[in-house]
Amino acid sequence: MFAWLGRRIKSQNTGSVMLIAPLAAFELVFFVVPFLILVRMSLNESAQAGPYQSGFTLDAYRSVLDSTLYHDLVFFSFKLGVIATVVAVLLALFYAYAAYRATGVRKSLLLFSIILPLLTTLVVKTYAWRPLLAPNGVLNDLLMAVGLTSSPIQFAPGMFGTVVGQVYIVFPYAVLAIYSVLSTMDWDTVEAARDLGASRPRSFLEVVVPEALPGIAVATVVSFAWSVGAYAAPSQLGSGEQTTFAMEIESLMLTAFDWPTGAAFSLLMLASMLVVSLAVMRLLTGSVGGVQDV
Amino acid sequence: MSRVSRERVEDALFRAGYWLLFAVIMLPILVVFVTSFQQGEYLTFPPSEYSLRWYGEFFASEEWLSAVVDSAAIGIGASVLATVLGVTGSLAVQRSDSALSRVLPPVILLPLLLPPVVIGLTLLIYVNRIGFTSAYLNIVVAHTLWATPLVFFVMQSVFARFDWSLRDAGMDLGARPSRVFYHVVLPNVRSGVVISAVIAFIVSLQEFIMALFLKSYYVKTVPVLAWTSLESSLTPMVSVVSAFLVLTSIVGVLVAAAVMNMEWLAEQL
């Protein structure tokens, strides 16, 4: 029987179907179906007691779209998304290039500094910035010692701290996305440009950056999706004015128990993030199909 | 300025730039380790006095130790599940060009690109609707959703380097597929599988937003407990816990780098 099975597997793709079945079933049961139930939940009615009341209404969407509070949250989420993404991607392009150019121990160190924060919990990444950015913290001590400022600056809690925390969170993803593209680039092309008389900054801008565009596109979309959905950095390092839609969803779901509104709000946000991401992809790569992997 | 001296300045700026960034990246991790040895009640950096006080309190705390057990159990569960699903799925996609194997990779990648809050709320609604009440299993499922794409894509590149004629030779000699997989394929990709499992475990250990949505009164992972205790006060206890969490990642990264190398690892993640 097994020999027969082996021959079947070799001649046809039956074996592949059997191998793929567990993963396909898992994704269907725990990702695709839950998502459909989320859509269904957004059409239920909010209830006084309990998380929701069965129904079929667009009330949840209406209450999100009508609320000026939610407009502010959406505006702030996108603002943080844009700022953090621009800062993170520019720094990441530089750092990925440095890691690409480096050799030996230096290369290992630079890559280690990327992988380690990537595999560290968000709690640690945001919490550790607090003593650094606090009014009586390290950065302020430093600035006052140098004489750049005479009184402490409110870095955190506030917008500055939120952006620093969020950039710190998405930076490793952005570096790796760009690095994985750069690592396939042939250094000879840059050498050629230099031989033809291009200065280093110019050869970087005109040879390296275009080559890295698919990686930059992925870095931008990932950083953007993660920053618009920011939760840990604004809660830990924000002052309360820095409230994102993710923080509101957490309180809608776990504190206010208003599930239809939470579902509708997150679906509206996902839709608008998707539109922006696709536009960015188009802009950066000329086509949506240019991205192969992350 | 001559070209040579200008290039020397450019070089110096370039090097200063990335070492500065390197220092800033490592700074929070340094803060975690240093403040975990702090004596005082409130977090300050650098601390004025050092002691092992908060380590003592950590090992005396039933709440924290039970969170460690919960995290370990969930991490092992998610790691095993993600590795099995990711390795089999990756193997299938490699060797097949069916429609399913073209549709599947984007679907399994998607959870990584959605804000974790959205996945958290999606799963919370789902497990409530189907009456799935075990917080352990729910968090394992959530973390598997996240770890599987990493395993899948690491294994894609590992399998891509495997010489499939070896497998075909095994088949031609009459070995059954499971034996060929065990004796021919697996030894060649073992390090990739180990790294995948380690990455999956670390990802599960460190994730907290989905775990925050799916936790129960009795089941809380370490990052979730750290997060909730931060809301009451900023004590060095969280530094102690963070130091452990960071250390596990360092060990994991070093193990993976020793088996393959740092560059390979960076390209896979």
Side-chain angles (χ1 to χ4, degrees):
Chain A
M1 190 191 88
F2 282 112
W4 173 80
L5 207 63
R7 278 197 301 279
R8 294 269 305 181
I9 288 167
K10 228 185 112 185
S11 55
Q12 293 175 20
N13 276 327
T14 334
S16 292
V17 171
M18 280 167 56
L19 280 172
I20 215 168
L23 180 55
F26 181 84
E27 295 293 331
L28 185 70
V29 172
F30 292 110
F31 186 61
V32 179
V33 171
F35 207 79
L36 296 176
I37 290 181
L38 176 75
V39 175
R40 176 69 190 88
M41 177 58 72
S42 71
L43 298 168
N44 281 327
E45 283 170 47
S46 304
Q48 292 300 322
Y52 65 97
Q53 197 178 323
S54 290
F56 210 83
T57 164
L58 289 172
D59 280 355
Y61 287 93
R62 232 170 266 136
S63 72
V64 172
L65 291 172
D66 286 347
S67 154
T68 48
L69 168 72
Y70 286 0
H71 293 172
D72 292 347
L73 295 179
V74 172
F75 177 75
F76 179 75
S77 302
F78 275 100
K79 183 174 138 192
L80 178 62
V82 170
I83 296 174
T85 302
V86 170
V87 177
V89 171
L90 288 179
L91 290 177
L93 181 61
F94 174 77
Y95 205 73
Y97 181 68
Y100 163 68
R101 288 298 313 278
T103 50
V105 179
R106 185 180 301 186
K107 193 187 197 81
S108 294
L109 263 181
L110 292 180
L111 292 176
F112 177 77
S113 73
I114 290 309
I115 299 172
L116 182 62
L118 189 75
L119 297 174
T120 301
T121 176
L122 292 178
V123 181
V124 175
K125 283 189 277 197
T126 50
Y127 147 86
W129 281 103
R130 286 173 62 167
L132 293 171
L133 299 176
N136 55 357
V138 176
L139 183 59
N140 268 312
D141 286 353
L142 206 71
L143 288 178
M144 288 198 282
V146 184
L148 276 175
T149 172
S150 54
S151 58
I153 300 170
Q154 178 85 14
F155 291 117
M159 186 63 186
F160 183 87
T162 307
V163 170
V164 169
Q166 189 58 32
V167 167
Y168 190 67
I169 288 168
V170 297
F171 180 74
Y173 296 91
V175 174
L176 286 185
I178 297 171
Y179 179 79
S180 67
V181 174
L182 279 184
S183 64
T184 62
M185 186 179 80
D186 196 348
W187 180 242
D188 291 345
T189 50
V190 186
E191 295 270 272
R194 303 262 297 113
D195 287 343
L196 292 171
S199 67
R200 286 191 213 198
R202 193 159 162 221
S203 65
F204 175 76
L205 283 179
E206 293 191 7
V207 181
V208 179
V209 172
E211 193 80 18
L213 268 185
I216 296 174
V218 173
T220 307
V221 168
V222 172
S223 307
F224 183 73
W226 269 68
S227 303
V228 173
Y231 172 75
S235 339
Q236 279 284 311
L237 298 160
S239 67
E241 280 169 42
Q242 284 77 36
T243 309
T244 61
F245 96 96
M247 291 158 77
E248 178 64 18
I249 282 183
E250 193 254 2
S251 79
L252 275 173
M253 297 299 294
L254 300 183
T255 314
F257 285 111
D258 182 353
W259 289 10
T261 309
F265 196 9
S266 49
L267 285 169
L268 286 171
M269 281 306 287
L270 278 185
S272 35
M273 283 163 70
L274 187 70
V275 170
V276 175
S277 299
L278 289 178
V280 170
M281 279 289 195
R282 254 232 132 80
L283 201 70
L284 286 178
T285 60
S287 78
V288 180
V291 177
Q292 294 300 317
D293 56 358
V294 174
Chain B
M1 225 191 303
S2 78
R3 179 166 168 163
V4 174
S5 66
R6 196 190 63 219
E7 290 196 346
R8 206 165 283 159
V9 174
E10 279 169 15
D11 267 345
L13 282 176
F14 181 61
R15 218 168 296 151
Y18 69 73
W19 284 125
L20 178 69
L21 266 176
F22 176 83
V24 173
I25 295 167
M26 299 310 275
L27 194 59
I29 289 158
L30 178 79
V31 169
V32 160
F33 279 101
V34 173
T35 53
S36 72
F37 295 104
Q38 181 180 331
Q39 162 74 40
E41 194 83 32
Y42 299 101
L43 192 77
T44 49
F45 182 84
S48 45
E49 275 176 286
Y50 294 86
S51 81
L52 287 174
R53 170 185 168 195
W54 293 99
Y55 282 86
E57 295 203 11
F58 174 79
F59 285 109
S61 159
E62 243 169 70
E63 201 184 14
W64 283 106
L65 293 181
S66 95
V68 169
V69 173
D70 289 349
S71 264
I74 289 167
I76 291 168
S79 174
V80 169
L81 193 54
T83 307
V84 169
L85 292 175
V87 171
T88 53
S90 183
L91 189 61
V93 170
Q94 279 285 319
R95 304 310 295 159
S96 140
D97 45 11
S98 69
L100 195 57
S101 65
R102 281 194 303 274
V103 174
L104 202 59
V107 173
I108 63 169
L109 186 61
L110 210 53
L112 268 185
L113 300 179
L114 297 178
V117 169
V118 173
I119 305 184
L121 109 148
T122 306
L123 286 174
L124 176 65
I125 291 171
Y126 180 61
V127 297
N128 262 278
R129 282 297 294 270
I130 62 170
F132 209 52
T133 51
S134 161
Y136 274 116
L137 288 179
N138 291 338
I139 301 174
V140 166
V141 163
H143 290 177
T144 303
L145 216 46
W146 245 32
T148 304
L150 296 169
V151 175
F152 182 85
F153 286 102
V154 167
M155 291 313 293
Q156 285 289 79
S157 92
V158 171
F159 283 134
R161 298 198 304 186
F162 174 67
D163 182 2
W164 289 97
S165 59
L166 287 176
R167 187 199 65 153
D168 296 341
M171 295 280 215
D172 286 342
L173 292 171
R176 50 176 203 267
S178 56
R179 262 193 83 174
V180 172
F181 180 75
Y182 189 76
H183 289 288
V184 181
V185 182
L186 198 57
N188 282 286
V189 298
R190 186 180 288 140
S191 46
V193 175
V194 170
I195 291 175
S196 303
V198 169
I199 291 174
F201 178 79
I202 293 176
V203 163
S204 164
L205 188 68
Q206 309 279 359
E207 197 288 325
F208 95 98
I209 297 183
M210 294 183 257
L212 189 67
F213 275 78
L214 298 169
K215 71 173 195 293
S216 71
Y217 183 75
Y218 301 101
V219 181
K220 284 190 191 91
T221 63
V222 174
V224 167
L225 188 57
W227 182 259
T228 43
S229 69
L230 276 179
E231 284 176 352
S232 52
S233 67
L234 194 62
T235 68
M237 179 64 105
V238 178
S239 291
V240 172
V241 175
S242 302
F244 284 123
L245 287 172
V246 172
L247 264 182
T248 6
S249 284
I250 291 178
V251 171
V253 172
L254 291 182
V255 165
V259 176
M260 303 304 262
N261 64 52
M262 199 65 85
E263 198 178 345
W264 182 87
L265 188 63
E267 278 166 28
Q268 304 318 315
L269 286 174

